[in-house]
Amino acid sequence: MKRFNKLASLTAVALATATMAMSGGAQAQSDPLKVGFVYVGPIGDHGWSYEHNQGRLALEKEFGDKVQTTFVEKVPEGADAQRVINQLATSGHDLIFTTSFGYMNPTLRVAKNHPDVHFEHATGFKRDKNVATYSGRFYEGRHVAGLIAGKMTKTNTIGYVASFPIPEVIRGINAVAIAARSVNPDVKIKVVWVSSWFDPGKEADAAKTMIDQGVDIIMQHTDSPAPIQVAESRGVWAVGQASNMSAFGSKAHLTAIIDNWSPYYVARTKAVLDKTWDSTDTWGGFKSGMVQMAPYNEAIPADVVALAETARKGIIDGSVHPFAGPIKDQSGKIVVPAGEVASDGMLLGMDFYVEGVDGKIPN
Amino acid sequence: MIDFVVLVLLTIITASTPLVFAAIGEIVVEKAGVLNLGVEGMMIVGAIGAFAVAVTTGDATLAILAGALSGLVLAFIFGFLTLYLLSNQVATGLALTLFGIGFSALLGNGFVGQTYGGLPHLDIPILSDLPIVGQLIFGQDILVYLSVVSAIGVTWFLGRTRWGLAVRAVGENHDAAHSIGFSVALIRMGAVLFGGAMAGLGGAYLSLAHTPLWVENMTAGRGWIALALVVFASWKPWRAFFGAYLFGGITIIQLHAQGFGLDVPSQILSMLPYLATIVVLVLISRDDSRLRLSAPACLGRSFHASG
Amino acid sequence: MLIRLEPRAEASRAMVYQSPLIAVVLTLIAGMIMFRIMGTDPLQAVHAFFIEPISTLDGVAELLVKATPLILIGVGLSLGFQANIWNIGAEGQLTLGAIFGGVVALAFFDVESVFLLPAMLIAGIIGGMLWAAVPAFLKARYNTNEILTSLMLVYVSFLLLSFLITGPLRDPDGFNFPESRLFHDSAVLPIILEGTRLHIGFLVALLFAVLAWLMIVKHIIGFQIKVIGMAPAAASFAGFKEKKLIWLTLLISGGAAGLAGAIEVSGPIGQVIPVVSPGYGFTAIIVAFLGRLNPVGVILAGILMALTYLGGDSAQITMNLPNAVTGVFQGMLLFFLLASDVLIRYRIRLGALRVREVTPRQEGVT
C-alpha cells in the first residue's frame, strides 16, 4: 500500500511537471506570478473593498497555482499608501492593483521606481508606461435602475443616499434622474449626503428621513446594505449598490448595480502572464461585464422588465447612451444638445445636477 | 403633519438609543472614578457578539445578553489592567478600542452578508393603539424601553442606594472610601463591568435593531460621541439621556433639511450636531463654577491600598 | 490573596528600562500562542511584525516617517496631560494644520522661494493653535470641559476639510476629483536620506522633543505644569495662574498637532487630500502615555507604535494575515506595556496579605 502511494505521488509529480511544461511560458515553470491588491476598506465591508476581493478570489480560482495573490486591507489614502504599495513592489509582486482613487499619486510615485512592475489603479485618470487605469461605467447600471424606478414610483420622488459630492457620485445621481424622467417626467430626485462612505447607522437614518418625506424608492451611493433593510421594513423599493443585496430585503430589492471586477482582473493577469500587458485606460460597462444588474424583483411588471432589458442591451450594442442629449442642467440650460451624447471628459468631471434633481451640489 | 412628526421622532429614537446606553454606562464608570476611553471598542464587540448569537440561535433575548456579555468581557480586561495592575486608564482605554475593533473584525469574519430580521417590537396592548403617542412611546422594541429604564434606574441607583453611594464615594475620594472599609478595586470593577455591559447593549442595539447586520467598524465613532455626552451631561444620567436625544435629533433634522433641499453645503449641515453639543454645554456650564464639582474628584486616578 | 503588589520606597530606575522589555517578551509569548491557535507559524509571524519592516534602510526610513507625527503630537499632548488638561482633539488640530499649510502652498503655487516651506509650517502651527484655542477659550472663560469640545471639533474639522477639498481647494485640472494639485517642489519638505522618504520633518519632531524636555526640566513653566497636575490646590495656593496654563498647554499641543498636519501634507503626501491622517491624533494619546509623558520616552514610544503599524502591513503581505490581527496584536502589546509599568513603582510579592496599619496610597494620572 505504502509503495503504491509513493508510486502514485511520483506519477502525480511527473504529470504535473509535464502539464506545466506543456502550458509553456517561463512564468508557469518558475515561481507563480505574484499579484498584490491594496484595499481602502476592510474586506468585510460588504461593499467596495469586498467586491475587489471577490475579484482577487476569482483570480486564484482561474489561475490556480500559476498565481499567488496578496492583499493589504484598510490602507489609509495618505502617507501610508505609498509605503504599502512600495512594499508590495519590492517583495516580488509583478502586478499590483490599487483599488481606490486616493492611491493615484502614491501609485505613480512607486511605479516610477519600479519600471518592471505592472500597476493598475482603479478610478483614477493619471497613467504611466507601467500604470494602467480602470473603472466601471456604473452610470450604465444606474440608467437601467433609473428607468425601473421611474416606472415603479407612485409618489414620483426617488431618494438618493449619497456619500461625498464628487463627480462619480454626481454622475450616478444624474444618470438616475435622466432615465427616470425619460419614462416619467414628473419624477424628482431627493439627495441626502451622509458625508461618509460607510456608516450603516447614518445611511439607515438618511433612508428613513427621505421615506418620511415621501420618497418611495431608495437608491444609494454608500457601501452598506442598511438602506435596503430600511426600505424593506418601511415597505418601499430600493436598489442595491456594489453587490446583490437582496438578502437584506428581498421584497424591497428591485435590483442592484453590481461591481464585477473579476473579468478585468483575470484578463489583466493573463496579459502579464502572456507578456502582452500594456498601459491602458479601461472604462468598462455592461459590455465588458464590469457592470451587471442583479436579478430583477419578481414584483416588477413584465413590460418594465422588458424596458429595462431593452435599455441594457441597447447600451451594450451602442444604440442607447445614458447621457444622450438633450440634457438640461437645473437652470434649464442645455448642456448636451439633442443628437449628441456627453463626452467621457464631461462625465469624468461632472459637477452639476441635471434637471429634476432637488437641491444644490454642496460646494 | 402630525404623522410626519411622529415618524421623525421615531427615527430620532433609533438614532439616539445606542448613545443612551453607552453614555449612561460610562457615567457609572466615571462616577466610580475610572475613565474608560474604550467605549467604542466595547460597543463594537457588543455589536458582533449580539449579532453572531442572533444569527446562530435566532433568539433575541440571548442575543441581547450576548451583546452585554461581550462588552463586559472587554471591560474586564480594562478593569483588570487598570484596577489591579494599575495601568494608565487613558492609554489602556484607547488600547482597548484598538483591540476591540480588531477583535470584532476577527470574530465577525463569517457573519458579513448575513441577515437578521431585527428585534421584535413589543407593542403594549391598548396603549400602543393610541393616536400619536401609541407607536412612539408604547410600540418600541425591548432595548428602547430598557434604555429609558436604565436612565431612571441609574439615577435612582447612584442617588438613593447604599451601593450607589459606595460608587460615588470611591469616585470622590478613594482614600476615604478605603479607610471606612469599602473595597475600592471591587466597587470600581463592578462599575467598569456595568459600563462594559451597557456599551455592549449600545452595540447590540446597532446590530440587532438600528441596522440588523454586521459590517466591520459599524459603530462608526458612536462610542466617542457617548464619551463626550458623559461630559456634556456633567455625569447626570437624565442629562445624558437628553444629550443623546439632542445629538440624535439634530443629526436627523439636518438630514431632513437636506431632503427638503435646504441650500447649505451638506458638510456644514453635518457639523451641526457637534457644534450644537458644544454650544449647549457652554450655555449650561456658563458661569456655573459648581459644575466642576460634579466631576468625580478621583476620575482617572489609580488606587492601590498597601498593607 | 497569593500575589500582591507592594509599593517600592521609590520608583525603580532599573524597572523604568526593564519593564518595556518584559512587556515585549510577554507579548511575544502571548502572540505566539495566538498565532499558533490561528494556525500560522508563530516565529514567522513575529519576524514579520518586528524584524521584516526594519530589515532594510528604506524600512527604517519609513518607520521614522510614520513616527514623525506621532512624536510631534505625543510630545505636545504630554505637556497638557501633565497639567491635567485633556486635549483629546489633536486629530482635529492636525487637520487644521494640514488645511492651513496646504492653503499657503496652493496660494503661492508658482512662487519659488526658500520662505515658502517655513511659511507653510508656521501656517500649520497657527491652524492647529486656532483650533485648540476654542477649547482653551471655552475652558478658561466658561469652564467648559475640554474633552468634549476638543473631541467634537475633530469631527467638525473633518467636515471642513471635506467641504474645502470638494470645492475651493480641489485641483483645477483634476476633473473635479477631491484632491488638490500636487505641491510645487519648493513646497515639499527636503529629503534627508537619499533614496527614501525620510524628510526633514523627523528632525523637526526631535528638535521639538528636546525643547519640550528643556521646558519641563529647566523652566519655571514646566514646574508649574507638573505641580498643577499633581496638586491643583497647592498650585493655586502658590499663585500659579491656572488659566494661563490652560491656554499655554492647549496652544502648544494644538500647535504641535498643526505642525504635524502641515508636515504630513508637505512631506510624504505632497498635496491636500480628503483624509490627511489615519488617526495620528488619537494614536498619539497612547504614545504620550506609553512614553510616560516624557519627551524621550515619547520618541521611543512613537517609534515602537509606528513599528506595529508597519509590522501589520508586513504580516498581511508575507503571511496573509488579516488586518484585524494587527489590531488585536497591537492591543495586546499595549496592554502588556501599560501593565508592566506597575513594576516601576511596585514589587510583586507572593504570600498572604498581612493586616496591619493601613496606609492608603494614591497615584495620579502622571
Side-chain angles (χ1 to χ4, degrees):
Chain A
M1 198 61 189
K2 238 179 187 161
R3 166 165 297 179
F4 174 76
N5 269 346
K6 203 169 175 188
L7 239 173
S9 61
L10 267 177
T11 323
V13 169
L15 262 174
T17 325
T19 331
M20 264 161 46
M22 276 192 292
S23 69
Q27 289 288 358
Q29 275 172 5
S30 60
D31 295 335
L33 181 81
K34 284 176 88 174
V35 187
F37 291 81
V38 186
Y39 304 139
V40 69
I43 55 171
D45 68 359
H46 208 267
W48 181 255
S49 295
Y50 175 85
E51 284 302 327
H52 284 284
N53 196 48
Q54 294 300 310
R56 180 184 70 88
L57 294 174
L59 269 194
E60 292 197 328
K61 206 172 152 205
E62 176 79 20
F63 296 104
D65 52 11
K66 277 197 280 183
V67 300
Q68 182 194 333
T69 66
T70 312
F71 69 91
V72 191
E73 56 180 337
K74 283 167 106 169
V75 177
E77 293 179 313
D80 298 277
Q82 192 177 334
R83 181 187 70 242
V84 171
I85 299 166
N86 189 55
Q87 211 176 340
L88 284 171
T90 47
S91 58
H93 290 81
D94 310 283
L95 173 61
I96 298 169
F97 293 93
T98 56
T99 64
S100 185
F101 171 72
Y103 300 150
M104 182 165 73
N105 291 309
T107 304
L108 285 158
R109 289 194 194 117
V110 176
K112 260 200 180 58
N113 297 329
H114 296 276
D116 300 336
V117 179
H118 311 88
F119 293 86
E120 296 266 354
H121 175 244
T123 71
F125 53 82
K126 292 187 193 167
R127 277 166 294 281
D128 207 339
K129 281 195 293 289
N130 56 338
V131 183
T133 53
Y134 62 100
S135 185
R137 293 182 188 266
F138 302 112
Y139 65 87
E140 293 182 356
R142 299 206 187 270
H143 177 84
V144 174
L147 291 174
I148 298 174
K151 282 284 189 190
M152 298 299 283
T153 177
K154 298 254 172 359
T155 60
N156 291 336
T157 15
I158 296 169
Y160 210 104
V161 182
S163 48
F164 291 101
I166 58 169
E168 165 79 28
V169 177
I170 291 165
R171 190 162 61 233
I173 295 169
N174 286 342
V176 167
I178 294 167
R181 287 165 65 88
S182 72
V183 292
N184 181 351
D186 298 328
V187 164
K188 290 265 178 226
I189 315 278
K190 268 186 198 296
V191 184
V192 168
W193 302 91
V194 293
S195 295
S196 170
W197 283 107
F198 188 76
D199 180 342
K202 212 167 169 196
E203 292 167 48
D205 292 342
K208 284 179 196 168
T209 297
M210 288 189 289
I211 296 169
D212 294 346
Q213 292 188 5
V215 155
D216 64 351
I217 294 179
I218 293 287
M219 297 207 182
Q220 63 181 102
H221 202 137
T222 50
D223 273 351
S224 93
I228 309 281
Q229 290 183 319
V230 169
E232 181 86 354
S233 71
R234 297 289 289 269
V236 303
W237 303 112
V239 175
Q241 158 85 0
S243 59
N244 185 344
M245 291 180 169
S246 61
F248 294 93
S250 54
K251 288 204 287 289
H253 194 266
L254 285 171
T255 178
I257 299 139
I258 299 178
D259 310 357
N260 177 24
W261 304 105
S262 309
Y264 183 76
Y265 288 170
V266 168
R268 299 302 281 173
T269 305
K270 190 162 185 314
V272 173
L273 284 169
D274 299 345
K275 304 203 182 302
T276 56
W277 191 94
D278 195 13
S279 170
T280 49
D281 174 24
T282 307
W283 206 6
F286 283 136
K287 195 172 175 182
S288 65
M290 206 181 266
V291 181
Q292 294 176 335
M293 300 306 292
Y296 301 115
N297 193 316
E298 283 173 9
I300 305 176
D303 60 320
V304 179
V305 172
L307 177 81
E309 276 302 288
T310 313
R312 194 179 65 83
K313 286 177 186 136
I315 290 172
I316 291 175
D317 68 28
S319 61
V320 173
H321 193 288
F323 285 92
I327 299 175
K328 290 183 193 161
D329 69 7
Q330 279 179 308
S331 65
K333 194 180 92 191
I334 300 259
V335 282
V336 178
E340 291 181 25
V341 297
S343 67
D344 275 4
M346 176 190 244
L347 293 177
L348 193 64
M350 194 163 261
D351 69 340
F352 61 90
Y353 279 154
V354 298
E355 206 175 37
V357 182
D358 267 3
K360 287 227 170 70
I361 292 178
N363 57 43
Chain B
M1 184 59 203
I2 294 276
D3 285 347
F4 178 71
V5 172
V6 169
L7 287 171
V8 173
L9 290 174
L10 279 172
T11 312
I12 292 176
I13 291 174
T14 1
S16 313
T17 301
L19 299 175
V20 173
F21 276 117
I24 287 180
E26 180 70 9
I27 282 180
V28 175
V29 180
E30 294 193 11
K31 271 289 181 188
V34 182
L35 182 61
N36 184 355
L37 295 186
V39 179
E40 179 84 3
M42 301 188 296
M43 272 183 103
I44 189 83
V45 172
I48 181 60
F51 187 74
V53 170
V55 168
T56 351
T57 67
D59 187 323
T61 317
L62 275 184
I64 291 170
L65 288 175
L69 189 70
S70 312
L72 186 140
V73 168
L74 230 67
F76 177 78
I77 301 177
F78 174 85
F80 179 74
L81 288 170
T82 56
L83 302 175
Y84 292 96
L85 297 179
L86 311 179
S87 71
N88 177 279
Q89 296 178 2
V90 174
T92 311
L94 289 165
L96 193 73
T97 292
L98 275 179
F99 179 82
I101 291 174
F103 189 56
S104 63
L106 219 51
L107 289 179
N109 211 358
F111 292 96
V112 175
Q114 305 249 26
T115 54
Y116 171 66
L119 280 186
H121 282 235
L122 296 182
D123 291 345
I124 294 171
I126 306 168
L127 289 178
S128 64
D129 297 330
L130 287 174
I132 307 171
V133 295
Q135 280 307 305
L136 208 53
I137 302 181
F138 302 110
Q140 296 289 344
D141 58 60
I142 178 91
L143 281 177
V144 173
Y145 297 132
L146 205 57
S147 73
V148 181
V149 169
S150 70
I152 300 169
V154 167
T155 308
W156 171 79
F157 171 81
L158 286 176
R160 304 276 161 165
T161 66
R162 195 185 120 77
W163 283 110
L165 181 70
V167 167
R168 284 187 293 143
V170 298
E172 283 304 326
N173 187 337
H174 45 212
D175 297 322
H178 175 74
S179 63
I180 58 171
F182 285 129
S183 167
V184 175
L186 263 183
I187 291 169
R188 285 190 169 164
M189 183 56 118
V192 165
L193 293 182
F194 177 78
M198 289 289 277
L201 284 178
Y205 185 79
L206 280 175
S207 67
L208 296 179
H210 193 172
T211 53
L213 52 87
W214 164 253
V215 276
E216 278 185 41
N217 293 345
M218 67 181 291
T219 43
R222 285 176 180 74
W224 291 98
I225 303 299
L227 275 169
L229 287 175
V230 173
V231 180
F232 173 88
S234 47
W235 294 268
K236 292 186 178 70
W238 62 268
R239 267 201 191 178
F241 193 83
F242 164 73
Y245 274 77
L246 173 80
F247 190 89
I250 295 178
T251 306
I252 301 305
I253 286 168
Q254 70 91 3
L255 293 175
H256 271 286
Q258 286 192 44
F260 283 125
L262 190 70
D263 185 18
V264 176
S266 61
Q267 292 102 333
I268 306 291
L269 282 173
S270 298
M271 290 176 190
L272 284 179
Y274 309 106
L275 294 177
T277 316
I278 294 178
V279 170
V280 174
L281 180 67
V282 172
L283 287 178
I284 51 184
S285 62
R286 191 182 44 164
D287 302 326
D288 183 2
S289 53
R290 285 169 307 143
L291 192 75
R292 178 174 310 188
L293 297 178
S294 55
C298 288
L299 186 59
R301 288 170 182 269
S302 302
F303 174 80
H304 178 251
S306 57
Chain C
M1 189 107 67
L2 287 175
I3 303 174
R4 66 201 166 81
L5 298 174
E6 188 180 278
R8 295 177 192 270
E10 56 185 290
S12 160
R13 299 293 303 167
M15 272 300 167
V16 168
Y17 305 103
Q18 285 170 17
S19 77
L21 294 177
I22 295 173
V24 168
V25 171
L26 288 174
T27 311
L28 290 181
I29 297 171
M32 285 191 176
I33 295 172
M34 179 180 86
F35 291 126
R36 171 106 286 165
I37 293 172
M38 291 181 54
T40 44
D41 179 0
L43 282 177
Q44 202 191 343
V46 167
H47 181 267
F49 256 99
F50 292 110
I51 312 290
E52 197 180 289
I54 45 171
S55 57
T56 61
L57 185 66
D58 195 41
V60 175
E62 287 293 338
L63 179 73
L64 301 182
V65 169
K66 181 90 180 166
T68 297
L70 294 174
I71 294 170
L72 260 178
I73 305 171
V75 169
L77 289 179
S78 65
L79 294 176
F81 291 167
Q82 288 186 38
N84 277 342
I85 306 289
W86 297 104
N87 179 3
I88 303 291
E91 185 77 1
Q93 293 138 23
L94 179 155
T95 306
L96 260 285
I99 293 174
F100 272 57
V103 165
V104 170
L106 296 169
F108 300 99
F109 186 72
D110 295 324
V111 179
E112 282 194 42
S113 160
V114 286
F115 297 111
L116 184 55
L117 267 173
M120 287 167 62
L121 298 186
I122 290 168
I125 295 173
I126 292 172
M129 281 187 171
L130 278 179
W131 215 237
V134 178
F137 171 75
L138 293 177
K139 186 174 176 71
R141 177 79 176 74
Y142 297 113
N143 197 26
T144 312
N145 188 303
E146 73 281 10
I147 295 182
L148 177 130
T149 47
S150 61
L151 181 60
M152 290 298 178
L153 287 175
V154 171
Y155 299 101
V156 176
S157 75
F158 288 165
L159 292 161
L160 180 67
L161 175 56
S162 161
F163 169 69
L164 292 173
I165 203 67
T166 50
L169 289 187
R170 70 185 172 197
D171 182 355
D173 308 315
F175 298 96
N176 298 321
F177 278 74
E179 59 166 21
S180 81
R181 292 201 256 196
L182 286 170
F183 293 168
H184 218 269
D185 285 348
S186 57
V188 174
L189 290 177
I191 298 293
I192 55 173
L193 190 60
E194 197 58 40
T196 70
R197 289 204 297 163
L198 186 60
H199 53 77
I200 203 158
F202 178 66
L203 298 183
V204 174
L206 290 187
L207 180 68
F208 179 63
V210 170
L211 290 177
W213 179 78
L214 284 176
M215 192 179 104
I216 291 175
V217 178
K218 303 281 182 203
H219 198 276
I220 179 74
I221 289 193
F223 176 68
Q224 293 185 349
I225 286 175
K226 278 187 282 188
V227 172
I228 212 163
M230 281 186 232
S236 70
F237 184 73
F240 296 169
K241 293 231 166 52
E242 199 196 339
K243 285 187 180 171
K244 196 178 115 191
L245 285 183
I246 292 172
W247 276 101
L248 193 74
T249 53
L250 274 166
L251 287 186
I252 292 179
S253 56
L259 178 60
I263 285 179
E264 283 300 287
V265 293
S266 61
I269 302 178
Q271 62 182 144
V272 183
I273 52 175
V275 179
V276 175
S277 147
Y280 290 135
F282 294 110
T283 314
I285 300 173
I286 307 183
V287 168
F289 283 106
L290 269 187
R292 306 194 183 110
L293 307 186
N294 169 316
V296 180
V298 170
I299 294 176
L300 297 174
I303 291 175
L304 177 66
M305 198 72 196
L307 179 60
T308 64
Y309 283 103
L310 265 60
D313 296 341
S314 294
Q316 285 190 72
I317 292 173
T318 53
M319 308 276 303
N320 284 325
L321 287 174
N323 177 278
V325 175
T326 307
V328 172
F329 193 68
Q330 216 173 21
M332 267 174 21
L333 174 68
L334 293 172
F335 290 155
F336 281 118
L337 279 170
L338 294 166
S340 60
D341 268 9
V342 74
L343 297 171
I344 296 173
R345 285 204 221 92
Y346 298 87
R347 242 183 275 278
I348 291 180
R349 283 270 183 251
L350 297 175
L353 189 72
R354 279 163 301 168
V355 180
R356 48 168 192 188
E357 193 190 354
V358 179
T359 47
R361 197 184 155 91
Q362 173 180 321
E363 299 297 336
V365 197
T366 47

